[in-house]
Amino acid sequence: MDPDTSEITHHFPPFFQIHKDGRVERFMVSPFVPPTLDPQTGVQSKDVLISPETGVTARIFLPKTNGPDPIKKLPLVVHYHGGGFCVGSALGPATTQFLTRLVSEANVVAVSIDYRLAPEHPLPVAFDDSWSALQWIYTHSNGTGPESWLNQYADFGRVFLTGESAGATIANNMAVREGTATDLEGLRVRGAALVHPYFANDKPNAMMRYMYPGSSGTDSDPMMSPKADSDLGKMSCEKVLVFVAEHDLFGLRPIGVEYCETLRNSGWKGDVELVENQGEDHVFHLVNPTCENALLLVHKLGLFVNDASE
């Protein structure tokens, strides 16, 4: 092997490392699983191309329907996967299993966005892709968008944003941006559910600075920290649900707690609820999706969506 290709120039465990020739080696790779009809729940899924220019895709999940009965519009959950902006997938087994269970239990339509990953696509690409995806979803609000499932089944007056870890960072940013946008008037974000959210602290993060050129990598960056976001109080939704893990591997529990206080003090007029997952680690519900606490988390998410929809 050429020594220039094997030499490591940047090492960011447990996510990725960079070889001297520029090759990115990920330590965690999410295998692709095809969309399907889940035999246990009756949930169907399909993949759609959102942007031919960028290649951004999404997976749509539809609960079991009643055939010829009149079509009932259902709440729409927009999901952003975690993985430090550099690993993970909307098309992998963890996301698919989680959303299949949520869609079945809560009787909602879900769309999971497969945004482009850093470092090949440096931040803020993940945020830009996620916003473009929300704009694409909005094109269905009058029933004439390119995807029939969204036209027929999604209620655009009951939209909810959610994500775990870095996906929760994206969900928060999308909720704030939607609150200041003037071109999404047919779409109403009613709530946001942030699961074990990642936000920067006052110490520079070397991996974040590598993936996000120009960012401080600290809580002075409004994209990475709600404390620095002057628009936080303009968040569109009326309810926010935040989960934190008692034994979070990345030390994010206090970050989630602080976020709730920051939101309450921002001038935002909504209600925020904090739930602590006792005895659990970061994104445990994806690692062990059938454990009791994971099932309780999904149930709580379902109640949040449906209670806020009434």
Side-chain angles (χ1 to χ4, degrees):
M1 179 179 292
D2 186 334
D4 284 346
T5 64
S6 60
E7 183 179 344
I8 305 302
T9 60
H10 298 82
H11 184 61
F12 300 118
F15 296 102
F16 66 90
Q17 61 186 10
I18 305 296
H19 293 255
K20 189 174 182 180
D21 63 356
R23 178 167 56 92
V24 179
E25 180 183 357
R26 286 181 169 81
F27 302 125
M28 296 181 287
V29 178
S30 180
F32 172 82
V33 295
T36 187
L37 170 62
D38 183 66
Q40 293 184 324
T41 63
V43 171
Q44 302 177 69
S45 58
K46 71 161 89 169
D47 294 344
V48 295
L49 178 64
I50 290 178
S51 171
E53 293 76 23
T54 64
V56 172
T57 60
R59 178 160 291 177
I60 305 178
F61 298 80
L62 184 70
K64 186 176 182 180
T65 58
N66 295 321
D69 290 349
I71 293 176
K72 178 184 178 183
K73 296 284 187 174
L74 303 173
L76 174 63
V77 174
V78 181
H79 172 262
Y80 304 99
H81 71 81
F85 305 103
C86 58
V87 299
S89 173
L91 315 179
T95 299
T96 296
Q97 186 169 0
F98 165 64
L99 288 179
T100 296
R101 188 180 299 277
L102 176 64
V103 165
S104 174
E105 179 166 333
N107 197 36
V108 299
V109 178
V111 183
S112 188
I113 310 304
D114 206 44
Y115 53 85
R116 289 173 290 173
L117 299 178
E120 297 94 329
H121 304 283
L123 292 168
V125 166
F127 295 101
D128 295 339
D129 287 349
S130 298
W131 180 249
S132 295
L134 201 58
Q135 291 177 309
W136 177 85
I137 289 170
Y138 164 74
T139 65
H140 300 80
S141 61
N142 61 2
T144 61
E147 176 45 54
S148 61
W149 283 3
L150 296 181
N151 290 330
Q152 294 177 28
Y153 295 100
D155 183 346
F156 289 90
R158 295 185 292 167
V159 178
F160 297 83
L161 308 180
T162 189
E164 66 280 341
S165 195
T169 316
I170 295 175
N172 171 76
N173 274 271
M174 295 303 103
V176 173
R177 188 165 176 177
E178 196 273 334
T180 61
T182 59
D183 57 345
L184 298 181
E185 295 180 0
L187 181 149
R188 183 182 177 193
V189 176
R190 300 284 295 274
L194 313 185
V195 182
H196 310 160
Y198 163 81
F199 296 115
N201 57 31
D202 59 355
K203 298 177 182 178
N205 182 293
M207 187 180 86
M208 192 59 60
R209 293 185 72 175
Y210 181 82
M211 296 191 303
Y212 195 174
S215 172
S216 65
T218 70
D219 57 9
S220 67
D221 183 345
M223 294 290 285
M224 292 290 111
S225 173
K227 292 192 300 182
D229 188 353
S230 60
D231 287 331
L232 182 65
K234 301 174 185 177
M235 180 182 286
S236 59
C237 53
E238 58 213 34
K239 294 182 68 174
V240 172
L241 174 64
V242 180
F243 292 91
V244 295
E246 181 183 15
H247 302 307
D248 196 299
L249 170 68
F250 298 103
L252 297 180
R253 180 191 174 278
I255 294 287
V257 174
E258 183 183 44
Y259 168 76
C260 293
E261 289 305 309
T262 300
L263 186 57
R264 290 189 183 104
N265 295 327
S266 68
W268 176 66
K269 303 302 182 183
D271 296 318
V272 59
E273 178 183 359
L274 178 69
V275 175
E276 181 167 357
N277 302 128
Q278 298 283 343
E280 299 294 355
D281 203 345
H282 191 66
V283 298
F284 73 95
H285 63 296
L286 301 181
V287 177
N288 189 8
T290 59
C291 73
E292 181 179 1
N293 281 341
L295 298 179
L296 289 173
L297 186 151
V298 171
H299 183 66
K300 179 67 175 178
L301 275 174
L303 289 177
F304 175 75
V305 170
N306 286 296
D307 286 350
S309 297
E310 295 177 354

